[in-house]
Amino acid sequence: QAHLVESGGGSVQTGGSLRLSCAASGGAFSRYVMGWFRQAPGKEREFVATISWSGRRTSYKDSVKGRFTIFRDNAENTVYLQMSSLKPEDTAVYYCAADVNSVSGAVSVLTEAYDQWGQGTQVTVSS
């Protein structure tokens, strides 16, 4: 069973950048499909990005394509979300998640596909 801990959140101005990290422990990280989700106040949790076991396949929410990059280091049991050109609408609590039961390693945009979740890290973008 994976234990996930996010870090790297903070407050930036519009156009700024942040890199979120999610360190995993207690399981076979290289066999987890990993995802980033976010939840803004008063809104439902939404998909942001996902990455396959090997890192070769990724998928993004349309509104973050070209601005966010998900990547992983299986040797370090860590997944990252590099966020650039941040906008106020990116303000949310960001969560990393692991699909620990994937048998294909295929990416998923569905919240219900993920079994383990971190505690979240706040990202605030001011105009």
Side-chain angles (χ1 to χ4, degrees):
Q1 187 147 345
H3 178 61
L4 307 176
V5 179
E6 301 99 333
S7 60
S11 297
V12 296
Q13 293 188 327
T14 297
S17 298
L18 284 172
R19 176 179 290 186
L20 306 183
S21 300
C22 173
S25 60
F29 180 78
S30 63
R31 302 294 287 183
Y32 299 160
V33 172
M34 298 298 296
W36 285 97
F37 292 76
R38 66 187 182 187
Q39 188 166 18
K43 295 187 177 181
E44 292 188 353
R45 191 170 298 188
E46 64 177 8
F47 164 77
V48 176
T50 179
I51 189 166
S52 63
W53 290 341
S54 65
R56 293 191 188 96
R57 287 168 288 171
T58 59
S59 182
Y60 296 92
K61 178 181 174 62
D62 284 347
S63 63
V64 308
K65 285 179 181 177
R67 300 189 298 121
F68 291 11
T69 301
I70 186 172
F71 59 102
R72 66 192 296 162
D73 184 339
N74 285 345
E76 296 294 329
N77 291 351
T78 303
V79 63
Y80 302 91
L81 186 68
Q82 178 67 47
M83 305 185 295
S84 302
S85 302
L86 283 162
K87 304 176 181 180
E89 51 263 43
D90 295 318
T91 294
V93 177
Y94 283 70
Y95 299 89
C96 76
D99 176 1
V100 305
N101 294 310
S102 175
V103 294
S104 66
V107 297
S108 176
V109 305
L110 301 176
T111 304
E112 53 265 32
Y114 294 85
D115 316 281
Q116 303 296 325
W117 294 81
Q119 82 288 348
T121 185
Q122 177 70 46
V123 171
T124 303
V125 185
S126 58
S127 57

